[in-house]
Amino acid sequence: MPSTEGRRPPRGRAVAAAALAAALLTGGLTAAAHAQDDSALPDRDAALAEAATLRQLADERGLRMGAAVGARHLDQPDYARTAAEEFTSVTHENSLKWQTVQARPGQFDWSGADRIVEFARSNDQTIHGHTLLWHSQLPSWVADGGFTEDELLEVMDTHITAVVGRYRDDIDTWDVVNEPIGDDARFRDSVFHRTLGEDYIAEAFRMADRADPDARLFINDYNIDGINAKSDAYYALVRDLLARGVPIDGIGFQGHLVSGQVPADIQQNIQRFVDLGLEVMITELDIRVQLPATEQKLEQQADDYTRVAEACYAVEGCSGVTVWGVTDAHSWVPGVFEGQGAALPIDGGYRPKPAYWSLHEALGGDPGPAPTDPPPPGECEAAYTVTNQWQGGFQAQVTVTAGTDLTGWTVGWTFGSGESVAHAWNASVTGGGADVTATNAAYNGTLSAGQSTSFGFVGSTGGGVSSPEPACGAL
Ligand code: 9MR
């Protein structure tokens, strides 16, 4: 297992790497190394232009480097650019789920799903289809429908045939059944299991295979990354399915992990499923840390990413890794695990974190800047991201990163499209017009150099949503 030191460049290269880091910290990922046509950074070091994207590195090795994508974020240029440039493949984070696609019987809404498919198509990316059958995000007309066995089979077949059939030309791998086994290693209770018994799984795979005989069909779950009772239950299940000739091609290890707790036997676990003749994918990788994310925690997280990626790449038959979100600002983690987050390789300001460079190096690229490199000059930096928008309103997140030890900070910006702040959290925000000033809350003003904190707000739009460039200073 490579150590942190092993991931770092020799001294001579550290200079270029530090310049790279500084430029990326100033300009963000999409504005710097990879945008060959970006005139915003005309004097950037030649080394920057040479840094490969994760996508380029993964393509060279024939590996998947994917990301979960939300249809509603694709209007944000930085988001779209990062999703397109860094990833070989996309997974619909929510827009292909039953609740989204067929909330009412026979009424299909393809808008979000189509949007992502078109995006992937125009960026020449593959798509991993997520997901056909899941106990969650399942509309109540299915979950509480009171169907007989035959009726439920028909409902499943109609859904699977419609979804797989529609995207036959675009989606070549599918999570057919998601999370059918609980952490107690027993089949999870669901309308499918209750009505049809465990054979609903085989039926779903057969339906998907009929809808697209060329698609590669996966079963997918969390907490099965290492060898444990739950992954043993999957091992027994898929061995049985294969023995019965059920058309299953692979298993997805979701990989929703906690930093410092990557299972030591993950490679061995991948290998045993590959030895059954299955393809393994890491389908939903994120590695959460306790906030605030210090430099030390992000270094640990980087090692964790290295372990997962290298475990996959070491086994022929593990086809690659998908991360569950494009940046930390788009991750499900903080909304579900209180006080935890910063789980992805790219931060909310589109800056590569140490974990980004872990993936980069595991794919054969540059190991990135050394952890001892000095922080960027200046008191602090602020990155502004629109995380959601709707008719008449939007939500934004601002991440403040200290360049030196701070006991208070202030961030100012000017809206460009007549927006105004309605309600803020984790900072006090003043300024009713275009000019806005935010200062730290009582509990997040103290930051040590390199440390980050975020605040957010909901605003109303005056016709559009601009991307202001905030200035940050110490108080
Ligand atoms: O990231 C998804 C989040 O936006 C949804 O609210 C949530 C609904 O249950 O699903 C999240 O994605 C899940 C994925 O579909 C299946 N594996 C676990 C993921 C994280 O919860």
Side-chain angles (χ1 to χ4, degrees), residues 215-228:
R216 291 182 61 74
L217 306 178
F218 286 68
I219 200 161
N220 188 51
D221 211 330
Y222 61 88
N223 284 353
I224 58 167
D225 320 285
I227 297 179
N228 56 35

Side-chain angles (χ1 to χ4, degrees), residues 72 92-94 97 130-131 134 136-137 178-179 220 222 254 256 284 286 324 330-332 336:
R72 66 200 165 95
H92 297 65
E93 185 173 3
N94 289 302
K97 291 172 181 172
H130 176 79
T131 177
W134 189 24
S136 180
Q137 287 184 301
N178 196 42
E179 303 171 6
N220 188 51
Y222 61 88
Q254 290 184 4
H256 294 295
E284 304 183 13
D286 49 33
W324 203 242
H330 305 92
S331 162
W332 70 296
V336 173

Side-chain angles (χ1 to χ4, degrees), residues 7 123 168 187 190 233 251 277 285 288 330 341 353 370 396 426 428 452:
R7 217 163 50 74
N123 289 297
R168 239 179 115 114
F187 284 102
S190 70
I251 182 163
L285 184 62
R288 55 190 185 266
H330 305 92
K353 294 159 61 182
N426 295 339
S428 63
S452 295

Side-chain angles (χ1 to χ4, degrees), residues 12 29 51 73 92 122 125 158 206 211 282 286 297 310 336 338 340 357 369 376 431 449 475:
L29 190 67
H73 304 309
H92 297 65
S122 63
Q125 290 168 303
T158 302
R206 291 192 190 105
I282 310 295
D286 49 33
K297 288 182 200 172
E310 290 194 343
V336 173
E338 205 184 327
Q340 298 180 58
W357 295 109
L475 283 179

Side-chain angles (χ1 to χ4, degrees), residues 7-9 13-14 17-18 20-21 357-358 360-361 365-371 373:
R7 217 163 50 74
R8 300 307 176 193
R13 285 172 71 200
L20 177 58
W357 295 109
S358 289
H360 211 263
E361 189 180 19
D366 194 299
D373 286 344

Side-chain angles (χ1 to χ4, degrees), residues 120-356:
R121 225 191 247 166
S122 63
N123 289 297
D124 201 17
Q125 290 168 303
T126 58
I127 306 169
H128 179 63
H130 176 79
T131 177
L132 299 173
L133 229 59
W134 189 24
H135 64 277
S136 180
Q137 287 184 301
L138 185 66
S140 55
W141 72 267
V142 183
D144 310 325
F147 298 117
T148 63
E149 288 180 29
D150 283 350
E151 285 167 349
L152 186 58
L153 284 170
E154 198 180 322
V155 164
M156 284 166 51
D157 198 28
T158 302
H159 183 76
I160 291 173
T161 303
V163 180
V164 174
R166 181 176 181 87
Y167 296 116
R168 239 179 115 114
D169 294 338
D170 299 291
I171 300 187
D172 37 35
T173 55
W174 279 100
D175 289 335
V176 176
V177 183
N178 196 42
E179 303 171 6
I181 293 180
D183 283 341
D184 58 2
R186 297 154 64 105
F187 284 102
R188 191 190 284 277
D189 179 52
S190 70
V191 64
F192 306 113
H193 188 256
R194 231 173 298 134
T195 312
L196 299 166
E198 61 191 73
D199 217 39
Y200 84 85
I201 298 171
E203 292 291 354
F205 276 88
R206 291 192 190 105
M207 290 167 188
D209 185 54
R210 277 199 297 275
D212 182 359
D214 295 331
R216 291 182 61 74
L217 306 178
F218 286 68
I219 200 161
N220 188 51
D221 211 330
Y222 61 88
N223 284 353
I224 58 167
D225 320 285
I227 297 179
N228 56 35
K230 188 172 177 180
S231 63
D232 284 350
Y234 271 95
Y235 188 78
L237 171 64
V238 298
R239 201 173 42 181
D240 176 60
L241 292 172
L242 288 166
R244 290 163 51 206
V246 174
I248 178 168
D249 301 289
I251 182 163
F253 294 2
Q254 290 184 4
H256 294 295
L257 299 171
V258 176
S259 184
Q261 296 178 27
V262 175
D265 50 12
I266 183 169
Q267 184 176 328
Q268 204 187 331
N269 196 32
I270 293 170
Q271 187 69 59
R272 71 170 170 158
F273 283 94
V274 166
D275 289 345
L276 287 178
L278 291 179
E279 177 180 339
V280 175
M281 273 189 217
I282 310 295
T283 48
E284 304 183 13
L285 184 62
D286 49 33
I287 307 183
R288 55 190 185 266
V289 303
Q290 198 66 36
L291 298 173
T294 60
E295 193 178 319
Q296 197 186 4
K297 288 182 200 172
L298 296 181
E299 286 303 322
Q300 170 65 53
Q301 181 189 54
D303 282 347
D304 297 330
Y305 267 90
T306 299
R307 292 165 76 127
V308 176
E310 290 194 343
C312 175
Y313 305 155
V315 180
E316 202 177 327
C318 184
S319 51
V321 173
T322 286
V323 293
W324 203 242
V326 172
T327 81
D328 284 340
H330 305 92
S331 162
W332 70 296
V333 171
V336 173
F337 297 98
E338 205 184 327
Q340 298 180 58
L344 292 167
I346 299 173
D347 79 9
Y350 296 93
R351 289 173 293 234
K353 294 159 61 182
Y356 174 92

